[in-house]
Amino acid sequence: MQLTPADLGRIRELYGRGLYRQALAAGERFGPLRAWAGPAARLLAGRLALQLGAPKLGKRLHLVAVRESPAHLEAVYYHARYRLEQFGPLSCRRFVREHPDWSDAPPELRADWLAIQALAAARGRDFDRADRLLAQAEGLAPNRAWLQVERASVLELAERPDDALAAARRSLELHPWFRPGVQAAAHVLHRTGRETDAVALLTEADGHLESGVVAAQLAGLQLDLGRHVDARRSLERYAELSPLMEPEVAKWLAARRTDVAYLLGELDEATRQARRVGEEFYTRFAEKLEAPKPTDGSRWASPRTLLPLSPGPVDAPPLSAHELLGRFWGRHVPAVPADAPPVPDGLPDAADRRRFDAAGWDTREFDLDLDAACELVARGVPFFVTLVETGFGQPRLVVGADRLRGSVFLADGPDRRPAEAPVKLLAERYKAFGPRCLVAVPEGESQRLDELALPGADGYDRLHAIQTALLDLKFPEAKEQVAALRAEAPDHRLTKFAAVAWARATGHPVLLLDALDALLADFPREPTLVLSKTAVQRDLGRVRERTELLTAEGAPIDAEPLLMQSLAQALLADPDGRAEADRLLRRSVRVRPHAAAGYFLLGAQRWEGQRFDEAVELYRMAACLDDREEQFADAYAKAAAVTGNAPEPLRLFQQKATRAAVPSPPAVRALFAALADRDEEVQAFAALGKAIEKLEGAAEEPLPRPLPEAGRGERQTDHDSPSPL
């Protein structure tokens, strides 16, 4: 049914006040949402569906609106948001370039169009451009509450939570109980450890709004705080406010109802809800709840146990796993040096365990196991589990366990509350690497590990002894230990990793290739091992074999993005393969939008194809996403200079080199080079001196080691794509 602007007026007014159920009721006389015709009506129907439990319908209605009316500017705006959320900042930017003329749009919509570009820039860590775009948007619509919500998102990405909270609160001053502003403020409060304040805000907002998403956000916070009865009430409120609930949303609700019932001790209700979820984890949980209970007095299941953690002051950055362990024990923890090289091939980080041993801690390594996790947590001992993603490993601190649910609770990074992870899922996902765990207790607490059997501990001790000998350059000793391990357990996973460690340390690529092949026979298609093998093949000059392997592993639709990028890099040398390389690179950055190398390689391809403006933008994205890689900054500076746009990289490098609290050394060098190229040597040396002063001041305080970035597998300096020179 075609709706007129007058028909939509009352519905828009109710929607703007956050009264979504009433807005739906006001529109019922026009038929179901999917039957509303016309771009304006479809867009409003889609927004309502998103708020009423039907996200798939909402997105579909927005897609239909832009396909049927591609010149309708509001539909174009919502499609840009869809592109950003579904495919990442590059897809959004490409779409933005296709729609340059907004002269006929009202000021509010033009401002929103600039704001979505600002958010896309911030997702790529280009905060200088994001700030400028937001300033332009606010100049067009200075009192628009939505722009403050977008600013809050940008500031949070820039790790400025106080400013983000101020922007979110400003949106509420401009538009009281503005639902996006409420959610933004509550989110920042939660991320900075002020959950009680977030709950208070959401609870009060729930009395003013008819918003299921606000109720769901409130329920999640109440669960974190152990307010299970309140969480149940909020979930029922969510169900009440979501009359269009889709099957996937209903599964999510059943899962949360299961969690609440279980935590309240209502096991029959937990079983009933778990069956409704229809997913493996909850189905197994229901089966355990239904299983006959032992009658001999033996333990049926230990309750959920979480060790107390103090995340630190709310205005401090989130703590790493090592810092959390030190805070738990109240002891100094030997930190991982900021310049510590990544451990290749998924090998255990022997240097990390060695630092603990040298500091007097008692350490054990073992494979993740539910019984061992529950026993350690019951003894009051947190431990690390290393999750090896493609090309890098990240430690998480296990601080809780639940035998009945078969899960552990992991803490680290920006999430201040531990996250539940099924042990079975972790064991399957990271089986090539254990997943390896490390328990470390300080001096005086070793008795907590007495008579504790840990799976695989003996094998890890022997592998650690081999790695330690290699670190100390005691090659005869290490060789003897590797031979002994091979004689006793030739097919064991850790024996094969010992062969990798030996070949890597002795610089023997043929032996390393054999060792990796032995592991790949047990764990075919494991991306970390495949990447390691292709790197060795490159070093050995086995181009055909490397290309065949990369084609087999990097071409499938579900391939690991780093393998796609490596295959694309191999194809770039062949003019006939550039179209396929372009497809692979675009897909890789869509799957992993924060991997800088993909943008760099795509920029190199665009430069080679003489699409210079696109290449400059892609080089800029790479330089912003990874300011530790000089190659990216250098490529951007030179490409911008060649195309007559030298001031832009100069401004960016000035921000990173002189305005940042801790300057980026590659940006400092790029700034120096850019100023020198402009014959501004006085300014170049002044900028260098200022950056050195800041770096010397920062060196007086220990800096946290940056988290490994997704997408940093093979060293980025190995990329030999065409230069913009």
Side-chain angles (χ1 to χ4, degrees), residues 525 527 552-564 584 587 591:
R525 302 202 64 191
E553 300 296 338
I557 190 75
D558 60 343
E560 159 61 39
L562 277 181
L563 288 169
M564 295 183 200
L584 289 166
R587 188 197 302 165
V591 176

Side-chain angles (χ1 to χ4, degrees), residues 380-457:
V381 179
F383 61 93
F384 298 115
V385 58
T386 299
L387 308 181
V388 178
E389 299 295 345
T390 307
F392 64 94
Q394 297 189 77
R396 295 287 184 264
L397 191 65
V398 178
V399 296
D402 189 317
R403 188 183 302 277
L404 192 59
R405 286 168 69 91
S407 57
V408 291
F409 293 81
L410 312 180
D412 187 34
D415 294 324
R416 292 176 178 268
R417 293 282 173 175
E420 185 177 12
V423 171
K424 187 173 186 291
L425 185 150
L426 294 177
E428 290 174 354
R429 170 67 182 84
Y430 303 103
K431 63 182 178 180
F433 311 102
R436 170 234 182 205
C437 300
L438 171 66
V439 57
V441 296
E443 193 172 0
E445 299 288 349
S446 295
Q447 73 280 359
R448 294 180 186 247
L449 303 183
D450 288 348
E451 300 181 6
L452 179 62
L454 296 172

Side-chain angles (χ1 to χ4, degrees), residues 317-400:
L319 301 178
S320 69
H322 283 68
E323 290 167 330
L324 284 171
L325 182 67
R327 189 174 290 273
F328 175 84
W329 289 113
R331 309 284 182 88
H332 172 73
V333 168
V336 180
D339 59 350
V343 182
D345 314 312
L347 284 163
D349 188 351
D352 189 33
R353 180 177 179 181
R354 192 179 193 183
R355 283 187 290 269
F356 276 103
D357 291 337
W361 293 58
D362 190 358
T363 62
R364 316 271 179 88
E365 289 176 279
F366 60 98
D367 287 325
L368 181 64
D369 172 83
L370 181 60
D371 289 335
C374 290
E375 184 62 31
L376 281 167
V377 171
R379 295 184 181 207
V381 179
F383 61 93
F384 298 115
V385 58
T386 299
L387 308 181
V388 178
E389 299 295 345
T390 307
F392 64 94
Q394 297 189 77
R396 295 287 184 264
L397 191 65
V398 178
V399 296

Side-chain angles (χ1 to χ4, degrees), residues 608-665:
E608 189 72 8
Q610 299 186 12
R611 295 161 65 177
F612 300 124
D613 289 342
E614 291 181 47
V616 171
E617 283 300 300
L618 288 161
Y619 283 139
R620 181 184 175 101
M621 292 181 75
C624 288
L625 281 167
D626 187 352
D627 57 12
R628 295 171 292 168
E629 186 62 69
E630 289 189 53
Q631 188 180 14
F632 299 163
D634 187 58
Y636 173 49
K638 291 177 178 176
V642 169
T643 55
N645 199 19
E648 280 294 300
L650 189 62
R651 178 189 177 100
L652 178 68
F653 298 146
Q654 282 176 330
Q655 182 188 56
K656 289 180 176 292
T658 62
R659 300 175 194 169
V662 180
S664 161

